[in-house]
Amino acid sequence: MLKKLVLTGAAGRLGSYLREPLSNMCEELVSTDITDDIGTLYPNERFAQVDIAVYDQIAPLLEGADMVLHFGAIVDERPFEELLGPNFVGSYNIWEAAHQHGLKRVVYASSIHAVGMHKKADFIGIDAPHKPDTFYGLAKCFSEDLGSMYWDKRGLESVCLRILSCAQVNNPRALGSWLSYDDLIQLVTRAIDTPSVGFSIVYGVSNNDRAPVDNAKASFLGYRPKDNAEQFAEAILADAAPADLTDPGEMCQGGPFASVELGKSATKSMNIVNDKKKT
Amino acid sequence: MLKKLVLTGAAGRLGSYLREPLSNMCEELVSTDITDDIGTLYPNERFAQVDIAVYDQIAPLLEGADMVLHFGAIVDERPFEELLGPNFVGSYNIWEAAHQHGLKRVVYASSIHAVGMHKKADFIGIDAPHKPDTFYGLAKCFSEDLGSMYWDKRGLESVCLRILSCAQVNNPRALGSWLSYDDLIQLVTRAIDTPSVGFSIVYGVSNNDRAPVDNAKASFLGYRPKDNAEQFAEAILADAAPADLTDPGEMCQGGPFASVELGKSATKSMNIVNDKKKT
Amino acid sequence: MLKKLVLTGAAGRLGSYLREPLSNMCEELVSTDITDDIGTLYPNERFAQVDIAVYDQIAPLLEGADMVLHFGAIVDERPFEELLGPNFVGSYNIWEAAHQHGLKRVVYASSIHAVGMHKKADFIGIDAPHKPDTFYGLAKCFSEDLGSMYWDKRGLESVCLRILSCAQVNNPRALGSWLSYDDLIQLVTRAIDTPSVGFSIVYGVSNNDRAPVDNAKASFLGYRPKDNAEQFAEAILADAAPADLTDPGEMCQGGPFASVELGKSATKSMNIVNDKKKT
Amino acid sequence: MLKKLVLTGAAGRLGSYLREPLSNMCEELVSTDITDDIGTLYPNERFAQVDIAVYDQIAPLLEGADMVLHFGAIVDERPFEELLGPNFVGSYNIWEAAHQHGLKRVVYASSIHAVGMHKKADFIGIDAPHKPDTFYGLAKCFSEDLGSMYWDKRGLESVCLRILSCAQVNNPRALGSWLSYDDLIQLVTRAIDTPSVGFSIVYGVSNNDRAPVDNAKASFLGYRPKDNAEQFAEAILADAAPADLTDPGEMCQGGPFASVELGKSATKSMNIVNDKKKT
Amino acid sequence: MLKKLVLTGAAGRLGSYLREPLSNMCEELVSTDITDDIGTLYPNERFAQVDIAVYDQIAPLLEGADMVLHFGAIVDERPFEELLGPNFVGSYNIWEAAHQHGLKRVVYASSIHAVGMHKKADFIGIDAPHKPDTFYGLAKCFSEDLGSMYWDKRGLESVCLRILSCAQVNNPRALGSWLSYDDLIQLVTRAIDTPSVGFSIVYGVSNNDRAPVDNAKASFLGYRPKDNAEQFAEAILADAAPADLTDPGEMCQGGPFASVELGKSATKSMNIVNDKKKT
Amino acid sequence: MLKKLVLTGAAGRLGSYLREPLSNMCEELVSTDITDDIGTLYPNERFAQVDIAVYDQIAPLLEGADMVLHFGAIVDERPFEELLGPNFVGSYNIWEAAHQHGLKRVVYASSIHAVGMHKKADFIGIDAPHKPDTFYGLAKCFSEDLGSMYWDKRGLESVCLRILSCAQVNNPRALGSWLSYDDLIQLVTRAIDTPSVGFSIVYGVSNNDRAPVDNAKASFLGYRPKDNAEQFAEAILADAAPADLTDPGEMCQGGPFASVELGKSATKSMNIVNDKKKT
């Protein structure tokens, strides 16, 4: 059992599902967020309200930790200036602090939006070149490259989880891109328990019949998702509007992020259900 | 639900299995064939006897249709002159009529014989270059290239189903190449219900242990076959004659078509059971 | 020295430059065209006016020949029905006649338009999948596949010369796509003198700095072009209109053929100088 | 049913599990080993004590056989001189004798150690270049190349089973590399019953979540393993020492063989349980 | 002739060689730098001292320009915080201002350090995934991804010149990595005069015998370098210290940047001759 | 300048051309051969008659050497038993002795016959899998794999020169495969003077128009051949017999070795001119 884990973005939707399983994998889970409340704590969990964009706030929390699970960021498209602190500098702070405190590994919530302008029909693998769809995706590219460099230059491991879409399935794209909460937990568990990972990338997607990405080269991580969005296909497709074949959001991995104007919110119109896990 | 679908080759063996499921996916199914009888019609089905090689016969039927399922062709090797009308010009007529009437998509019964001279051991993907084994296969190459062009130039979508072998399993090759009727129906359903396909190719093969082709790059279509010819393996292999390693029909994807003389019937000696579905 | 060569399309622009060098490589050159006059004949050349779309006209001429140089076709985009005879059936006639008369090889004037919808920036090699831009290009795909099959099934060799553009350089695209007449002659010479070619494809392009295609895999043919369109760059670029980045004709290999409407002449607006070689 | 099979290395651990199923696939199974006792024989089995490094001892046994299953070798790292006879010359003797006696096929127990210096994270396929980790692995490279040549030059088929690790799972690496005895038997069965194999390579590994190699290109062989080492993961990982990221044995396919000094025993410290099947 | 070009980093060594040729390609060249003096101006050149890290300083200068040549940055490894303004935000400012003012293209001085941790022996092409060697290289990755996104989302073109090393050849690595000033000028000229580039990457390296990178896929740009560092090989190699095979700086593309500690100057020990062009 | 070089096979044809340039690159050249006479020695050259198949004969000579140039072997196809000593064990002795005496590098005369069964039309690169055409080629595979392992496990560098054909051009195959003596010398010089090579493979072939192999991935070695066999093409092709397209010797890289029976001399019928350099 690990001694200490640190989770950033603990108050977010994904964070809310990860806190309990993470708390069971270590003696102490330090959950952090920029908000001031994450609800009731699990037995060996403690909470710290910090701004990851400020090195001196986040760095000390990593002392003595084995790994950090970095899920904290603004989770939408915004003007570059707004993302610069939390999504760019915040990532730098995490990797640098992890290095300074001798952590073994960073597990990072990356995103399909780092490669969102690739076509769905290209079935990209984990070594496809970056092709971001938004400033949000650009921050994911930046953080992955940062992780690659800290491994090559300093021997700090990283697993970048390129999550496709982790939310209730309510549109045709999600039939391919869905990551169930159970599969998210398996994915994070594998990212932690695999003995050596170097610098690795793996797509966070369930075992969907229509999954448009290829995890083959991450095989050694042992992530084998169990859920399948095909259970929702009939209902979703019956209601779906005709596809607009000239819309990058239809043809590209990034979905709505691929068509949104740079700097404008992409999630506003996406009807994401906030089914955060209650604690 | 779709308004109208058109099926060519409706009196053929594959057509006979597709008519019922197709009739359930649309308000009106127009089944066509060059023969004059396809048996009892399903509730919302109507039949038209047409020669697809004659534009003015087939084209008007596509008016108002959403998609056309193009399964009509001479299904065997023949001299080029005999295939020119139905298998070449017929395909042109379908795509051109689909364009003229503003259809969204052509679903085409292509065939492994478009790439039949590739070795089985090469596990070709959907982007392997054409390598036809017969004039029959050449017509499939021609039609696929036609579909590619109508998408690139006119925005008309196509899914080309490269069927390996869809018939009762009664020889060793079929242990790898078999496509069950149920999986055929799933394949055609996916080709219809996937919101956007652009120009796509997918191998029509069941979930056989010995499947010699790679559908990975068509993953977004969500075709996940359920049947497996391995159930027949013990019986088939016990009776099989020794393999002739110098016979292209043994080593190549196309099987008997890979060894048949150009222009001569390849199916005559294949003992294909005519288990056409009775209506 | 070869005994007999047959050249189709001898009255065309490219044919006019090939007749003399070809006549020097064999005891007898049979030049054919659908027109009735190709000017003064070279010493060991004879002319036959034939329609390659009619098997019985062209086939007998191949008797006793070593190879046929197949350059005859309608050289422009046209409705499919107009190309069907000369560009499709004509090719079949050539390969079939070559087989019937035991020729060693077909040297075929294929074209970039067989792969014209690929992006210039993709630097496609000779094994890129077909992606025709016009019915004209589709006929090139058809003929290449035919050649592949006659090699695999009947041992008849083919070299397909995918010519990019062989005409005076008078536009920016030609800075990359130009094939000089001297390099054309070298290319055809290599296609003839290489002892074994199986089924081969090679791009017909000069040694242009801006050449957008990759002949590496045809290296064994020894085609090493000498001319370079860069000599025309300064003048051409000074006069060029700004590029329209949304025009497939600008971004794709096929140039004007990539943007022309299917079935409409693509060369009408191209100002191709008819500098046919006088004899 | 086959007439005769020959098994070398019959007294080894893997051999002990193969003798029974092999004896059921043929009229006569000739089991051989350099030791003098393999326990009770199965009904149609006979035993011959031979040294495979001596051509005249092993060769006569292959007379009249359909195939030879070549599992005999020193199964550990040793100085080159010690392996030269059994692992190098022994292989030559098997292939040469198989050729001399007209056998159809050699099924060879190759090993991951032929490619053991590749990184686990590279998910190598069956066509990865050789990259041996030991003299032991070098002998596997030698034998595979021998098999490739006997197919290309003499039409003798081979299947090389690159076994990852076939032993009780008692360390983290084995979570990815385990080959269960049942899957070993399936693998050997497929290597025998597939009608044509040419020269083929296939990884011998179970259906482990964490399998680090890619068998896709051997698909036509129909090997579909059923067991999964993930059942042991929790217990194994709980006890595991921290990974040493600078140890090739941790990062490379070959595991302990990748870090052992050349010529020194690699298995001594591996705690391989000798659960040889009793007969 | 172009109306207006903007050059950032005009006072730098590379900038000093570009000012004259650039001034000959346009009616007005606006040269900018953070320093206050770039020497005598060329006839149609004007100078503006600006900090590119401040949007309002640099943006207005781009008004009415056709293209911007972005060479301004701190040209060495430094702590992330020091590079954040000029090398990261500065790039954002350039692309955003170029978009706001409707420029056609950004020509960007990227660097081998974006992929500096790749092995020299891997002969990486322009589509190799990012693998930065320093924060300096990370800023190049960031800027390239930015350029990719502005093309995909906003139709703003970019050419990223991944310069290997542009300085006097005085060490063995430079025999492969050298970019002569003349070839730099050719490279920049091609980046400007090519009619359409979309988003392109090209290595900035001379025609060195030992060049370790592959520009094939940028062929359409027509960059064909003329100089060759092999002229210096004998002298350089005679004096060279033995290679340290365990030093990433010896084996990797990035050279000294690959071995330097993150955040520490890499150029201090490199003896780069400041042969800035005098004006 | 190097202190000491060792050359095996010094009495061979290739050795005879290498002795002088090698003697100029080091203070002492030790030339060895199994024969007892290599003619007049160069100033700083000494000769030792040794059998490389005997470790104790060859090993002591390597003491104090920087590198060994391993050209000694039986240079023809022979029965496996005859090649086992000189071509297999001899290679082991060289690498092991090089390791024991702390040499920096082995430069090995490998051969196209390690990959001789690949098709010429496949334009194989340096990473093509082994595909030997003879026992002679098998020994080259063995030695290359040995070199790979000594680098991976012991940090001993190797350059494997896969020579295609180094002899007077007197047949069509040599138009592609020729390596001139001058280019051989350049190749060996690069293999010595490149500061770091790890384990490298490079094809030994001149700058022939018809070269059928791809050295791109060995670019960093800086081997840029100057000679071109095309100068002999006209004369050679005029005299050549028609190609037999069913002969592997015509279609495969290995030429006559690809068609010779295993174990039988391949060079007997090749009319190789023994133009050994006189000393």
Side-chain angles (χ1 to χ4, degrees), chain C residues 121-123 172 209-211 230 237 243 245 250-251, chain E residues 151 157 190 193-196 216-217 219-220 222 224:
Chain C
D122 284 347
F123 196 55
D209 284 1
R210 304 174 196 240
E230 201 61 20
L237 292 174
L245 304 177
E250 176 64 36
M251 309 306 278
Chain E
W151 166 244
E157 293 192 316
R190 278 305 84 74
D193 76 15
T194 300
S196 60
K217 287 210 168 255
S219 177
F220 77 101
R224 296 291 175 272

Side-chain angles (χ1 to χ4, degrees), chain F residues 226-264:
Chain F
K226 307 292 183 219
D227 290 313
N228 188 335
E230 200 61 20
Q231 58 188 300
F232 310 115
E234 203 171 328
I236 295 283
L237 291 174
D239 287 348
D244 175 359
L245 304 177
T246 65
D247 178 7
E250 176 63 35
M251 309 306 278
C252 294
Q253 296 283 1
F257 280 67
S259 31
V260 79
E261 207 178 320
L262 288 186
K264 300 292 169 63

Side-chain angles (χ1 to χ4, degrees), chain E residues 30-195:
Chain E
V30 179
S31 292
T32 80
D33 206 287
I34 200 169
T35 64
D36 62 358
D37 181 19
I38 61 166
T40 313
L41 295 179
Y42 292 96
N44 57 342
E45 184 186 28
R46 74 180 171 96
F47 175 67
Q49 183 188 3
V50 297
D51 183 349
I52 54 171
V54 182
Y55 185 81
D56 290 343
Q57 288 190 22
I58 182 65
L61 294 174
L62 273 62
E63 192 178 355
D66 298 284
M67 302 186 186
V68 55
L69 293 296
H70 181 34
F71 280 67
I74 294 181
V75 188
D76 194 0
E77 175 63 349
R78 285 280 186 288
F80 175 70
E81 294 82 354
E82 292 184 32
L83 299 178
L84 183 59
N87 294 27
F88 289 86
V89 176
S91 280
Y92 165 74
N93 288 342
I94 293 295
W95 264 276
E96 182 63 20
H99 166 68
Q100 293 298 342
H101 290 293
L103 271 67
K104 174 175 176 54
R105 191 178 295 171
V106 177
V107 177
Y108 175 58
S110 186
S111 158
I112 190 67
H113 301 299
V115 290
M117 297 308 292
H118 284 284
K119 298 266 175 67
K120 274 193 286 190
D122 284 347
F123 196 54
I124 50 169
I126 60 175
D127 48 5
H130 283 149
K131 206 168 170 58
D133 53 23
T134 45
F135 290 121
Y136 174 78
L138 183 67
K140 299 301 188 189
C141 297
F142 167 84
S143 305
E144 289 187 357
D145 288 339
L146 196 62
S148 158
M149 189 172 69
Y150 272 75
W151 166 244
D152 285 335
K153 298 294 295 267
R154 290 174 158 175
L156 172 60
E157 293 192 316
S158 297
V159 187
C160 297
L161 317 174
R162 281 196 192 149
I163 295 165
L164 274 74
S165 70
C166 193
Q168 275 190 21
V169 178
N170 57 15
N171 61 79
R173 173 177 176 261
L175 297 177
S177 64
W178 186 51
L179 174 67
S180 74
Y181 294 122
D182 282 352
D183 283 334
L184 167 68
I185 291 167
Q186 188 207 141
L187 180 61
V188 169
T189 307
R190 278 305 84 74
I192 291 172
D193 76 15
T194 300

Side-chain angles (χ1 to χ4, degrees), chain F residues 86-112:
Chain F
N87 294 28
F88 288 86
V89 175
S91 280
Y92 165 74
N93 287 342
I94 293 295
W95 264 276
E96 181 62 21
H99 166 68
Q100 293 298 343
H101 290 293
L103 272 67
K104 174 176 175 53
R105 191 177 295 169
V106 177
V107 176
Y108 176 58
S110 186
S111 158
I112 190 68

Side-chain angles (χ1 to χ4, degrees), chain A residues 122-123 209-211 243 245 250, chain B residues 157 190 193 196 219 222 224:
Chain A
D122 285 348
F123 196 55
D209 283 1
R210 303 175 196 239
L245 304 176
E250 176 64 34
Chain B
E157 295 191 317
R190 280 304 83 75
D193 76 17
S196 60
S219 177
R224 295 292 175 269

Side-chain angles (χ1 to χ4, degrees), chain A residues 210 230 233-234 237, chain B residues 2 25 67 105 186 188-197 221:
Chain A
R210 303 175 196 239
E230 200 61 20
E234 202 172 330
L237 292 174
Chain B
L2 300 166
M25 296 177 71
M67 302 185 184
R105 189 178 297 169
Q186 188 206 140
V188 170
T189 306
R190 280 304 83 75
I192 291 172
D193 76 17
T194 300
S196 60
V197 301
L221 288 175

Side-chain angles (χ1 to χ4, degrees), chain F residues 56-77:
Chain F
D56 290 343
Q57 288 190 23
I58 182 67
L61 294 174
L62 271 62
E63 192 178 353
D66 297 285
M67 301 185 187
V68 54
L69 294 295
H70 180 35
F71 279 68
I74 294 181
V75 189
D76 194 1
E77 175 62 349

